[in-house]
Amino acid sequence: MKLVSVVVPCYNEQEVLPMFYEEITKVTGQMSKDHPELSFEYLFINDGSKDTTLDILRSLADRDKRVRYISFSRNFGKESGMYAGLKNAKGDYVVVMDADLQHPPSFLPQMYDYVRNGEYDCATTRRVSRQGESKVRSWFARLFYRIMNKISQTEIVDGAQDFRFMTRQMVDAILDMSEYNRFSKGIFSWVGFNTRYIEYENVERPAGTSSWSFWGLFKYSLEGIMAFSTAPLAIASLLGIITCFFAFILIVITIIRSIFGWLDAPDGYPTMLCLIFLFSGLQLFCVGILGQYLSKTYLETKNRPIYITKETEDIYRQRKAAAQQNSEQKPESSENESK
């Protein structure tokens, strides 16, 4: 038998979780009939949700023994959720997908067909359209991929999703990269392995709203640039060289004007003010870039855990059993006291 672990990071997904569970069990049930060698487990990662996501996961774990979950002590982010899922997945194959049904479970049979014969180590999806997204957001997303692929040696396919069907060998390689500042799209590409891309049209959420704001995506893109490229450091150095060159030219011009008496001190005041602002701004910009890389290094050297587990399905069952046992003992003790 081959076990397939379906890893699903969740953050405030109370509206779509029941729909997702119904859809994923329907697809995997059919896959088990078509491929009797397959069995499935569903590993949900509750990333500090503030709604009833955890209650729904508890209910699913009571109903279906294939359902496992890990609930974080707070919100650590999707990257930590995916890492926790990969680390705790028991399967020979591991699937990573979102709970919002924008990663259609109907692709799983096709993904398995690509991976099972050994030709590919990973099957993933790639959006060929961004229907439903604003034009500004789509433009910035495409710009990010263009910039990233020019300044980084790690190629990231435009529109590539975190929705992946991977072999255990590839998952183990990803887990070897236990860095604190994670950018999974880059990590998936960096580890290599043969990957098959399945193109599909963008699918909108059937319910709920995305937790990814424009600012959140912008910070995530910066995380990717800092994690897989040192080009910003080179840009800072280049800006320093260019500004020094222009400053040298300006000095030469000033000396010539002074020699020939063309320099009038009061007229140079605006020029001096502009230059002070220009070079001060460039210096702060370059120091800011250095600070970003230094902060990433600082966080890595702390060796903090990527996530902290507060509850799992086993802990929940133990607490439930203990609570039930205590409730049974209370009537007996009160009865003895009355006697």
Side-chain angles (χ1 to χ4, degrees):
M1 294 291 293
K2 297 287 185 180
L3 178 64
V4 180
S5 298
V6 181
V7 174
V8 189
C10 303
Y11 180 67
N12 294 341
E13 300 289 3
Q14 63 179 9
E15 297 182 20
V16 293
L17 261 181
M19 289 184 282
F20 173 82
Y21 175 75
E22 181 180 354
E23 185 67 20
I24 193 67
T25 52
K26 182 169 64 175
V27 172
T28 55
Q30 185 60 45
M31 287 181 68
S32 297
K33 292 180 181 178
D34 298 337
H35 305 282
E37 74 277 8
L38 292 182
S39 61
F40 291 86
E41 68 168 2
Y42 313 111
L43 177 54
F44 295 89
I45 312 298
N46 178 39
D47 187 20
S49 297
K50 298 178 181 179
D51 59 4
T52 59
T53 295
L54 180 57
D55 294 331
I56 295 173
L57 294 179
R58 289 168 176 167
S59 175
L60 292 176
D62 285 336
R63 291 163 43 195
D64 190 343
K65 299 303 179 184
R66 298 172 299 175
V67 173
R68 299 169 55 212
Y69 69 85
I70 297 173
S71 184
F72 290 168
S73 60
R74 64 171 177 83
N75 177 250
F76 283 88
K78 184 181 177 181
E79 290 292 335
S80 298
M82 286 195 290
Y83 178 79
L86 295 177
K87 188 175 181 180
N88 290 276
K90 302 175 182 178
D92 303 284
Y93 300 102
V94 180
V95 177
V96 178
M97 62 191 307
D98 292 343
D100 57 13
L101 292 176
Q102 289 187 293
H103 295 165
S106 58
F107 279 98
L108 291 180
Q110 185 180 0
M111 289 174 150
Y112 177 62
D113 289 338
Y114 284 128
V115 173
R116 66 171 175 161
N117 59 11
E119 182 180 357
Y120 296 101
D121 304 284
C122 172
T124 184
T125 54
R126 173 180 174 268
R127 289 191 300 180
V128 294
S129 73
R130 293 183 175 272
Q131 243 178 348
E133 285 188 2
S134 67
K135 292 183 179 180
V136 174
R137 184 164 172 169
S138 297
W139 184 83
F140 274 104
R142 293 192 175 94
L143 178 64
F144 164 74
Y145 284 110
R146 284 199 297 269
I147 294 174
M148 191 68 187
N149 288 325
K150 286 189 178 183
I151 66 176
S152 174
Q153 295 180 347
T154 302
E155 182 183 1
I156 302 178
V157 177
D158 186 0
Q161 301 287 289
D162 294 328
F163 183 20
R164 291 173 180 263
F165 196 117
M166 297 174 285
T167 61
R168 169 51 59 179
Q169 184 182 15
M170 182 173 177
V171 171
D172 290 340
I174 293 169
L175 292 174
D176 284 338
M177 300 178 66
S178 56
E179 54 204 57
Y180 181 81
N181 301 284
R182 303 185 67 79
F183 181 69
S184 290
K185 282 185 172 62
I187 292 174
F188 290 145
S189 298
W190 190 90
V191 296
F193 295 96
N194 295 330
T195 301
R196 171 74 186 209
Y197 289 92
I198 303 171
E199 296 184 349
Y200 80 110
E201 299 289 334
N202 185 47
V203 179
E204 296 189 38
R205 294 174 62 102
T209 57
S210 174
S211 58
W212 284 98
S213 63
F214 179 82
W215 177 243
L217 289 172
F218 177 73
K219 291 194 294 183
Y220 186 58
S221 66
L222 290 182
E223 189 75 43
I225 291 173
M226 297 293 177
F228 285 91
S229 176
T230 57
L233 293 174
I235 292 172
S237 301
L238 182 62
L239 283 172
I241 294 172
I242 292 173
T243 52
C244 287
F245 175 73
F246 280 110
F248 177 76
I249 293 176
L250 188 61
I251 290 170
V252 173
I253 293 173
T254 304
I255 292 173
I256 293 173
R257 290 180 66 186
S258 298
I259 292 173
F260 289 96
W262 300 338
L263 184 63
D264 190 2
D267 292 340
Y269 178 77
T271 304
M272 186 62 67
L273 191 63
C274 291
L275 288 175
I276 290 174
F277 276 111
L278 172 64
F279 290 115
S280 298
L282 287 174
Q283 287 177 345
L284 289 173
F285 176 71
C286 296
V287 170
I289 292 176
L290 293 173
Q292 285 293 318
Y293 279 94
L294 183 61
S295 68
K296 303 300 180 188
T297 306
Y298 172 66
L299 290 173
E300 291 291 343
T301 56
K302 279 177 172 287
N303 290 323
R304 287 178 175 174
I306 298 175
Y307 65 93
I308 297 175
T309 300
K310 181 180 180 181
E311 182 181 316
T312 65
E313 75 283 352
D314 289 333
I315 294 175
Y316 166 65
R317 287 167 183 158
Q318 290 171 6
R319 289 175 179 171
K320 187 178 179 181
Q324 186 176 0
Q325 186 176 4
N326 290 335
S327 64
E328 291 175 354
Q329 290 176 351
K330 283 181 179 179
E332 292 179 3
S333 59
S334 60
E335 184 179 347
N336 292 334
E337 288 176 0
S338 63
K339 289 180 179 180

